[in-house]
Amino acid sequence: MSVRASILELKSLMSQAIIGQETIVERLILGLLANGNLLVEGLPGLAKTRAVKALAANLEAGMNRIQFVPDLLPSDVTGTEVYHTAEGRGEFQFQAGPIFNNIILADEINRAPAKVQAALLEAMEERQVTVAGTTHKLPDLFMVMATQNPIEQEGTYPLPEAQMDRFLMHVMISYPDKTSETEIIRLVRDEAASSNGNKAETKTIPQEVIFDARKEIDALHTAEAVEAYIVDLISATRQPERYEGELKKWIQVGASPRGSIGLDKCSRAHAWLAGNDHVTPDDVRDVVHDVLRHRIMLSYEANADGISADEVISEIVKTVAVA
């Protein structure tokens, strides 16, 4: 089986457990292939946790879930030095926290104070944790999926824009349609009925497949015209006054270079997953909302008029032409 066929099989296995949420399944796969982290926003009960569990269950990877709460400490995430005594001698030994695993679900990340958020985001960026002057590396296969509830703001600590920028994509998920919801009911009913029986062992995808896929994605061809298109999209968020329309009024702060890097990574992974040997402008447009919606800061006028980041990005896509 080819590398791409293995990844498509992983996607198919996940889709069997996640009905009506194709977006989160594909974005999780893209995030894994692009070696990035995801911020997922959606109402409770929309299979955010289930999606991560399905990914870990069908991949040779461990998973930890961290429930973020107001009294959580940074050491509860990263780990701490613990004093051990043996044979009359004592020494400090590092006790690893839940961040030391392959796939991390940071549930309701905006419920923890800034110190805890910063500890997690540092680990995401540096792929290591330093405790008591000693650096401990995280696993080679490592991804964080953090979740946020968009409607419940009481007792929360919103992520600063500079820290939101650390996430490769900000994925929004919504309710499933009626047909999918009927299938969800049947799926949960079947799972409950078979829970008492002997569950057959399922074949898991080796971690090496992910690393091989990343090598193939790195070798993908990106034309100069597509690179220029990515740069022009990012430039439009920084210098909206150069374009006609309402962009100048809507955008206060544009995307950083992480935006162009993220757009390049995700469009390449998207093209590879589609079976193409080169990146097209359509690949860029397919991922641009998820890559940029958390990287642009809207102006007071845009918020007052009820303009969303997605609407601003859509206007940029319509305005910026391919060279």
Side-chain angles (χ1 to χ4, degrees):
M1 185 180 295
S2 68
V3 174
R4 180 173 171 271
S6 298
I7 298 297
L8 291 177
E9 183 183 7
L10 174 62
K11 183 180 177 182
S12 175
L13 291 170
M14 290 178 63
S15 297
Q16 294 174 19
I18 315 293
I19 297 174
Q21 297 292 359
E22 292 80 8
T23 298
I24 184 61
V25 172
E26 183 181 78
R27 272 17 185 187
L28 271 173
I29 297 292
L30 287 180
L32 197 62
L33 294 176
N35 196 18
N37 305 288
L38 272 62
L39 177 63
V40 180
E41 190 166 326
L43 296 169
L46 294 183
K48 299 186 293 295
T49 301
R50 187 180 177 94
V52 178
K53 288 183 176 179
L55 175 62
N58 293 291
L59 187 65
E60 281 185 5
M63 173 201 161
N64 279 335
R65 176 180 180 271
I66 308 172
Q67 180 63 55
F68 279 58
V69 290
D71 61 348
L72 198 70
L73 298 174
S75 58
D76 295 329
V77 174
T78 61
T80 187
E81 293 278 320
V82 178
Y83 190 74
H84 288 269
T85 57
E87 299 179 356
R89 294 185 302 172
E91 62 177 357
F92 283 97
Q93 296 180 5
F94 177 67
Q95 183 171 319
I99 194 71
F100 286 86
N101 216 325
N102 301 117
I103 300 171
I104 307 299
L105 173 61
D107 214 359
E108 296 184 294
I109 187 175
N110 56 336
R111 288 204 170 277
K115 278 187 177 182
V116 182
Q117 294 175 1
L120 173 70
L121 294 168
E122 180 185 8
M124 287 165 42
E125 183 73 12
E126 306 297 335
R127 302 298 174 94
Q128 62 185 27
V129 169
T130 301
V131 177
T134 303
T135 299
H136 307 272
K137 290 186 66 65
L138 293 170
D140 292 333
L141 182 66
F142 178 79
M143 184 177 74
V144 172
M145 192 189 95
T147 69
Q148 280 192 152
N149 183 340
I151 61 171
E152 197 171 344
Q153 302 302 326
E154 186 176 349
T156 61
Y157 304 82
L159 286 170
E161 284 75 8
Q163 294 188 358
M164 294 269 283
D165 201 29
R166 304 290 182 92
F167 290 98
L168 180 66
M169 288 187 283
H170 180 190
V171 182
M172 306 287 290
I173 58 176
S174 57
Y175 293 118
D177 56 37
K178 290 184 179 180
T179 303
S180 297
E181 192 132 10
T182 303
E183 294 180 12
I184 290 171
I185 293 172
R186 293 170 181 167
L187 175 64
V188 174
R189 183 191 302 147
D190 292 342
E191 288 178 346
S194 61
S195 61
N196 295 327
N198 294 324
K199 189 174 180 180
E201 290 188 7
T202 57
K203 179 183 176 182
T204 56
I205 308 299
Q207 287 189 22
E208 289 73 19
V209 171
I210 304 298
F211 301 125
D212 292 339
R214 289 174 181 174
K215 292 178 182 177
E216 293 187 8
I217 291 169
D218 290 339
L220 217 63
H221 175 69
T222 304
E224 290 185 7
V226 176
E227 292 176 342
Y229 182 51
I230 290 174
V231 173
D232 287 344
L233 288 171
I234 300 300
S235 179
T237 69
R238 301 173 189 165
Q239 300 171 315
E241 67 277 0
R242 296 171 55 187
Y243 299 89
E244 297 180 359
E246 304 291 331
L247 287 178
K248 180 181 178 180
K249 188 176 78 171
W250 289 342
I251 300 176
Q252 181 178 345
V253 179
S256 74
R258 283 199 186 108
S260 53
I261 293 171
L263 203 49
D264 175 62
K265 285 183 175 181
C266 292
S267 59
R268 292 167 71 85
H270 185 272
W272 181 87
L273 198 59
N276 300 323
D277 60 357
H278 63 282
V279 182
T280 68
D282 286 336
D283 294 311
V284 178
R285 286 188 282 264
D286 191 82
V287 300
V288 66
H289 287 79
D290 292 321
V291 174
L292 294 187
R293 68 164 53 99
H294 59 301
R295 290 189 162 97
I296 59 174
M297 189 184 304
L298 302 185
S299 65
Y300 172 81
E301 289 85 352
N303 289 317
D305 293 342
I307 302 297
S308 68
D310 281 357
E311 291 175 293
V312 175
I313 296 168
S314 295
E315 185 64 24
I316 291 173
V317 171
K318 285 194 298 182
T319 303
V320 177
V322 180

